[in-house]
Structures are given as C-alpha cells and as structure tokens.
Amino acid sequence: MATLADVARRSGVSVMTASRVLSGRGPASASARDAVTQAADELGYVPNAVARGLRNSRTGTVALVISDIQNSFYSAVAKAAEKGLGAHGLNLTIASSNEDAQRERDILQAIQAMRADALLITPTEHNGDHLQRLAQHGLPIVQLDRSVPGSDIRRVLLDNAGAAWRAVTHLTEHGHRRIALVGGPERITTGAERASGARNAARQAGAELLVAEAASYLHEGTRPAVEEAIDWGPTALIAGNNIVLETCMDVLLERGIDVPTALSLVAFDDLPWLRWTPAPITALRQPIAQMTTAAVSMLFTDPDSDGVERRFPAELVERASVRRITTAS
Amino acid sequence: MATLADVARRSGVSVMTASRVLSGRGPASASARDAVTQAADELGYVPNAVARGLRNSRTGTVALVISDIQNSFYSAVAKAAEKGLGAHGLNLTIASSNEDAQRERDILQAIQAMRADALLITPTEHNGDHLQRLAQHGLPIVQLDRSVPGSDIRRVLLDNAGAAWRAVTHLTEHGHRRIALVGGPERITTGAERASGARNAARQAGAELLVAEAASYLHEGTRPAVEEAIDWGPTALIAGNNIVLETCMDVLLERGIDVPTALSLVAFDDLPWLRWTPAPITALRQPIAQMTTAAVSMLFTDPDSDGVERRFPAELVERASVRRITTAS
DNA sequence: CTGAAAGCGCTTACAG
DNA sequence: CTGAAAGCGCTTACAG
C-alpha cells in the first residue's frame, strides 16, 4: 500500500511537503500542491491512521461498550452514537459485554490498548474501579443508561424513578390496587431507581406493590421473577425493560392470560411490535436518540463546566393494554 | 500512560528484554521475567496496540460493515461476529452504511486508513469496484447476506431462491392461487434471488404471483410496494424481509385486514414477536449465527482452497398465519 | 515556501 | 540469555 514516501518520490518533493499538502496544514506552493495531489490520486494513497495515531496520540476512535448488542435498546444507542460521532469525523468501535464482568474487563483493557480517544459505556456494576482508573489516565468517559454506583464519572440517564412513578400512577388512576413490577437487578441503577419510583407511587396511592427482581437483564435471568409476579395475582403488571417484556409475553401466552381483561400491562421501552399484539401495549418511551446525542456531546465537553449527570424523562404512550377497574364502593 | 521503556527502566533491564517477557516470545531468565512482570503490574502497563500495529502491520481489528445496525437481522450478525472474532483474539469495529452508497464509500476508506486486518460486509450494490480494489491490496473480505454483482469476492449467503420457493410452495400446497411477494430491490441479490425463486415455484404450481419491488430495504422505501401488493387482492402475502414485514403489519392494521382469515402471511426472518401477534406468524428462519460464523472462519482461510461461495438453507417455521383454502372444484 | 532530523512505542533480525 | 540498532509511517518543531 502506498505510503507518504511513495507519494513524495513520485511528485518530486520531500515527505514533509507531501504531508503538508495532504493534511492541508502549513503552507505549500501551488505547483507542489498539484504535483502531490496528483501523485496521491494515481497511487490511490490513503493515509495510515495507525501511524498517524501513534504520532499524534489521538486515534480518532471512540469506543462504545454496551451490555447486549441484540437488545434493541442498545442497538438504537449504537445507531445514534454512530451518527453523532460521524458528525465529529470520528470512528466508532462497538463491543458488547453481555452483562459479564470478566468480559467487560477484557474489553476495557482492549480499549486502553488501542488508545481510543473516548469511551461511551452502559456499564455493568462490577468494574467501577477500572473505569475510574481509565478516567484518571485522562480518558473521557460518559456512562449511558446505567451508572456504576458511587463514582464521579459523568452519565446520561433516564429519570428512572420518575418513569416508574408515572407507570404506577397511571395504573392506580385506572383503579388498580394490586400491581407487580418485574424489575432488573437492584444492583443496577435502572433496577434500583425504577423499583424505588414505583414504591413511592404505590405508597402515595395506597396501592399494593410487589417488586419481583430479575436475576439479570438477560433472558434466562428473567423468567423466575416474571412467574413470581404473575403468581402473586396482580391486576396489573409492569415490565421493567424490553427483555423482561418478552419473557412476560411468553409466560402470558403459555398460561392463556388475556391482556387487558385478565391482566393489565405497561412496558418500559417502546418498540414497533407493541402496536401489533392483540391489545396494543402501553409503554414508557425513552428518548434514546436524544440521550445518546447528549452523551456524545458530553464526551467533548469540559467535565468541570457541564455537570456530572443529565436526566431525561420518559414519555407514556397509551395504547390498549391497561383496563380501567371500577371498584364497587 | 506507562510505556515499555518505563517498565524496562523500573525493572532494570533493556526495553528489548521487557518486550520479550511481556510478549512471551523469545527467551528470558527467571529473574528478568519476575522483575519485568512486577514492574509492569505496578505501573499498570498496557501495551500500546497502535505502536504494535504500526510495527507489525497487523492491527488485530476486523471491520464489520452492515446496512443497518437497528435491523435485528444485522444486530444478530454483529453479535455472532463479535463472538467468533473474540475467539480469535480479535477486536471488532462496526459501522453502518444505512444503505447509502456515499456513506459506504467513506466507511471503506476509513477501514483502509485504519488498516483493519479483514472485512466482513453486507454490501450495498454500489461499491463493488472499491471492494475489489481493497481485495487486490490483500485485504481479506467476505460478503455476508448479500453480494455485489459480478465480483469474485467470497460470500456467505442464504439460499434465497430456495427459501422463497419454499414459501410459495407452502402457500400453494395450502390452496393459494393468488400470491403476492413484497421483495427488496432486485438490484440487491437477496431481492432478485427471492423473486426468482418465488416465480419458479408459482409457475410450477400454476399459481398467480405478483412481485412488488420495494424501493429500498429501509422503512420509507417499502410502503408503496406493500400497498401495491395488498391492493392487488392476493389470498396470501410474503414479506421479503423483516423491514417489509413491519410495514405490512402497519398497513394490515390500518386497513383492518385480518390474518389469516382475510389474508395469509409468511415472513422472511424469524423474530420473537412473531409469536405474539393475534395469529402467530409463519416465518422463514435464517441460520444467522451459523452463517456469520462461517463468514468469520472464511476470513482466515485460504481463498483458493475453500471456494468462493457458501449457501445456507432457511427453515420454515409454521405458525398460524397461513389459512388452508379449499376451492370448490 | 521547503527540507533534514527526531520521535511516537513497539518488535525483528543481528551481535554478543 | 541479553542488548544496541533500525524501522513501521507519520507529523512537529526547527532551520534555511
């Protein structure tokens, strides 16, 4: 593959001049300019970003570490991140931790090795120390969706408590008095905050609330909690995220429980298919694109001037999965 | 950030020896080994992959270029690719072309600049020449899912014609005689091959077939074709991929057309939510993980010894969206 | 406006 | 077993 030296030789100038012309920084005579661009063209010269990265200690690459690339929430994040970064002329490297602490550690190490310029991460709860160390080395880091407990690493999050509060309140306003939330693990901020928001709302409304805690945000970890919640006999069920929702759908189908006649349902995360179930599903929509864009721009912003945390509200999209209950009183 | 020189200095050996110890290649005395590993540990030394990449002209990175990261088909590809590559100790960089020729060109150039070791791509039909040039420069390339027409770049594809044949035959066996396929653009191999397989099957069975060609595999491009197909008044509809299917669901819902009483439906690509619609949807399941794994291993295999193309069959998953039609005869 | 030199951090032959 | 030298391809001061 052609190098800068090849271009210089062919155009009869020094490597230096060729570099200046092609990078567009520094002066160059018109004739040098012409000769170099022509030679570069003829040779199909493409600058070596690796060499450039070594020299400049800037690689032009941002790493995105997500929990599960197949989860549509995170692929929406990936899409928005790619778009936002592309606007900055940056490349995106994506890796998926699969909620696994060891794997996340390996990824973090690889990112450090490849000298990424910045890191966007939806962290597991396990590697806060590692993250902190990277931040101290000067790597700009922004957490998205979730945050490692007790660190000062910047983050862009949903107003989880507010969203859960809204879901429960929506249900109590429809007359529900026995509500189950299948949430994520409370070790994870989303799980903890959603549970606490739901508890507040239930208390305020004087309704009963069961929080069934899934072992993980992966499918396998989710079923016992869903079954526990349904066995408890609620009139309404809140699926704490889209993975939990899928498990709920399976269990409801298996047991022949009809929504909303036998059970009302509210989902965290909005997806196209929620419109196509027998009773279209009411959902809390997260502003994923905006959150991701905010996280990307936070990456390039002064940590001290811009605050450590931003929260975004969810929007309740009402469809047909919540029944109004009228109590004889 | 600590460099090899720092480690060498701290452990009282030369850079050379430190390199040998840490890379595990070449001899080293036990004492040197101990001193170096300890120093590396204390300094939190992480080798600079950029420098290593420049020196070795191998970056340990494989690029994956997909058409749309939010399309669950491609995010399944991304997941499988990451897993397969991880086993080889390689990093994965993902970029999404969004079916845009110019964007794909930019991505290809960036990949060349960053000196990726190999490329996995679900190509648009536009940049075959560019791909060919990269291949001639010695970059291992494997096309997945789709292939650029008229090139000898290796590829792993679905048996599209066979799968479409199977879908149509399934319908004719259920008595359908007027079938519409909403396919992708026939410029794209998947679109062309699925259309041709469907035509063969219809001809064999003596059934009428309308192929409505979507302008693109993006949502926007898909609606006119879906409406054309439904307006034609078929008894059965085949959605040529998962994006088309989503549009079909929207249009059917808007028009109040019931599946399968008013219209039977078969989908390309299987997804969890197909089980949860009022009539669970019969689908052709692609072996995405196997195809991706095959593509990954093809990347590291001798081009001359292993053939240029591999095809995988789809599996028909029968559910409840196809009605049996009994004709008065 | 242009070029020779030095160096980013690593590893591959080559001597000792 | 160990080290001094050279070089991967680029760019940043520094002279001319």
Side-chain angles (χ1 to χ4, degrees):
Chain A
M1 212 165 278
T3 71
L4 199 55
D6 297 328
V7 175
R9 201 170 312 122
R10 186 179 188 103
S11 51
V13 302
S14 72
V15 171
M16 205 33 292
T17 306
S19 166
R20 268 196 294 256
V21 170
L22 293 174
S23 68
R25 33 218 289 94
S29 67
S31 67
R33 199 170 295 280
D34 288 351
V36 170
T37 36
Q38 191 185 335
D41 243 44
E42 290 168 359
L43 292 170
Y45 173 71
V46 176
N48 185 330
V50 179
R52 200 176 258 177
L54 178 59
R55 173 62 237 227
N56 298 340
S57 47
R58 287 199 353 103
T59 54
T61 296
V62 172
L64 171 66
V65 180
I66 53 186
S67 323
D68 177 7
I69 197 170
Q70 253 194 108
N71 180 326
S72 64
F73 178 87
Y74 296 113
S75 57
V77 166
K79 177 153 204 164
E82 202 194 21
K83 194 169 165 191
L85 258 14
H88 287 259
L90 291 164
N91 287 112
L92 179 66
T93 289
I94 303 175
S96 176
S97 68
N98 295 320
E99 307 281 7
D100 182 74
Q102 181 57 51
R103 171 123 184 80
E104 186 179 62
R105 239 187 322 270
D106 293 346
I107 290 172
L108 256 21
Q109 169 126 358
I111 285 169
Q112 193 180 357
M114 71 192 284
R115 303 303 198 255
D117 292 341
L119 169 60
L120 220 52
I121 185 169
T122 64
T124 69
E125 71 276 23
H126 303 292
N127 296 311
D129 50 335
H130 201 330
L131 240 33
Q132 200 72 254
R133 218 176 313 131
L134 288 177
Q136 272 154 14
H137 278 314
L139 182 69
I141 305 180
V142 172
Q143 304 175 93
L144 188 57
D145 175 52
R146 322 202 294 207
S147 87
V148 149
S151 91
D152 59 353
I153 298 176
R154 287 175 296 166
R155 51 203 175 255
V156 174
L157 307 172
L158 190 75
D159 173 14
N160 287 300
W165 185 93
R166 186 105 165 65
V168 169
T169 301
H170 179 72
L171 289 167
T172 56
E173 285 173 358
H174 280 71
H176 291 270
R177 286 286 165 274
R178 191 172 171 83
I179 299 168
L181 163 66
V182 182
E186 301 209 19
R187 299 164 276 120
I188 299 183
T189 47
T190 46
E193 294 175 357
R194 290 174 192 180
S196 115
R199 288 195 186 100
N200 279 340
R203 192 176 318 118
Q204 272 178 36
E208 283 183 283
L209 177 76
L210 171 74
V211 177
E213 185 183 349
S216 81
Y217 273 134
L218 301 174
H219 259 109
E220 313 80 77
T222 238
R223 181 170 266 263
V226 169
E227 289 179 333
E228 175 195 350
I230 292 175
D231 289 342
W232 183 64
T235 63
L237 188 63
I238 302 173
N241 81 349
N242 59 358
I243 303 296
V244 168
L245 176 63
E246 295 195 352
T247 308
C248 287
M249 294 305 290
D250 276 336
V251 173
L252 294 175
L253 193 65
E254 285 165 21
R255 302 199 180 180
I257 297 174
D258 187 68
V259 173
T261 40
L263 187 64
S264 291
L265 184 60
V266 175
F268 259 85
D269 294 327
D270 193 22
L271 296 165
W273 65 263
L274 301 197
R275 303 193 299 262
W276 306 318
T277 48
I281 299 169
T282 293
L284 290 158
R285 172 147 51 201
Q286 301 195 42
I288 304 182
Q290 290 99 298
M291 288 171 68
T292 304
T293 305
V296 167
S297 73
M298 198 179 254
L299 236 27
F300 303 109
T301 233
D302 178 21
D304 299 322
S305 74
D306 231 54
V308 74
E309 181 174 306
R310 271 184 78 178
R311 293 270 182 177
F312 282 76
E315 174 194 0
L316 184 74
V317 181
E318 288 190 55
R319 287 195 271 250
S321 63
V322 173
R323 186 168 73 104
R324 176 170 299 282
I325 295 184
T326 37
T327 42
S329 64
Chain B
M1 209 165 280
T3 70
L4 198 55
D6 298 329
V7 175
R9 200 170 312 122
R10 186 179 188 103
S11 51
V13 302
S14 72
V15 171
M16 204 35 294
T17 305
S19 165
R20 268 194 295 256
V21 171
L22 293 173
S23 68
R25 30 215 295 93
S29 67
S31 68
R33 199 170 296 281
D34 289 351
V36 170
T37 35
Q38 190 186 335
D41 242 43
E42 290 169 359
L43 292 169
Y45 172 71
V46 176
N48 184 330
V50 179
R52 200 176 259 178
L54 179 58
R55 172 63 236 226
N56 297 341
S57 46
R58 286 200 354 102
T59 54
T61 297
V62 172
L64 171 66
V65 180
I66 53 186
S67 322
D68 177 8
I69 198 170
Q70 254 194 108
N71 180 325
S72 63
F73 178 86
Y74 296 114
S75 58
V77 166
K79 177 153 202 163
E82 201 194 22
K83 194 168 165 192
L85 258 14
H88 288 259
L90 291 164
N91 286 112
L92 179 66
T93 290
I94 303 176
S96 175
S97 68
N98 294 320
E99 307 281 7
D100 182 74
Q102 180 58 50
R103 171 123 184 79
E104 187 179 61
R105 240 187 319 272
D106 292 346
I107 290 172
L108 254 22
Q109 170 126 359
I111 285 169
Q112 193 180 356
M114 70 192 286
R115 303 302 198 255
D117 291 341
L119 169 61
L120 221 52
I121 185 169
T122 65
T124 70
E125 71 276 25
H126 302 293
N127 296 311
D129 51 333
H130 201 331
L131 240 33
Q132 201 71 254
R133 216 175 315 131
L134 288 177
Q136 271 155 14
H137 278 315
L139 182 69
I141 305 180
V142 171
Q143 305 175 92
L144 188 57
D145 175 51
R146 323 203 291 207
S147 87
V148 149
S151 91
D152 59 352
I153 298 175
R154 287 175 296 165
R155 50 202 174 256
V156 174
L157 307 172
L158 190 75
D159 173 14
N160 288 299
W165 186 92
R166 187 104 166 66
V168 170
T169 301
H170 179 71
L171 289 167
T172 56
E173 286 172 357
H174 280 71
H176 291 270
R177 287 285 166 271
R178 193 173 169 84
I179 299 167
L181 162 66
V182 183
E186 301 209 19
R187 298 165 276 119
I188 299 182
T189 48
T190 45
E193 294 174 358
R194 290 174 192 180
S196 115
R199 288 195 186 101
N200 279 340
R203 193 176 316 119
Q204 272 177 37
E208 284 183 285
L209 177 77
L210 172 75
V211 177
E213 186 183 347
S216 81
Y217 272 134
L218 302 174
H219 259 110
E220 313 80 78
T222 238
R223 180 171 266 263
V226 169
E227 290 180 333
E228 176 195 349
I230 291 175
D231 289 342
W232 183 63
T235 62
L237 188 63
I238 302 171
N241 80 351
N242 58 358
I243 303 296
V244 168
L245 177 63
E246 295 196 352
T247 308
C248 287
M249 295 305 290
D250 276 335
V251 173
L252 293 175
L253 194 65
E254 285 166 20
R255 300 196 180 182
I257 297 174
D258 186 68
V259 173
T261 40
L263 187 64
S264 291
L265 183 61
V266 175
F268 260 84
D269 295 327
D270 194 22
L271 296 164
W273 65 264
L274 302 196
R275 304 193 298 262
W276 305 320
T277 49
I281 300 169
T282 293
L284 291 156
R285 171 147 52 201
Q286 300 195 44
I288 304 182
Q290 290 98 301
M291 289 171 66
T292 304
T293 306
V296 166
S297 73
M298 199 179 254
L299 236 27
F300 302 109
T301 231
D302 178 21
D304 299 322
S305 75
D306 231 54
V308 72
E309 180 173 305
R310 271 184 78 179
R311 294 269 181 178
F312 283 75
E315 173 195 0
L316 185 73
V317 181
E318 288 190 53
R319 287 194 270 250
S321 63
V322 173
R323 184 168 75 104
R324 177 169 299 280
I325 296 184
T326 36
T327 41
S329 64

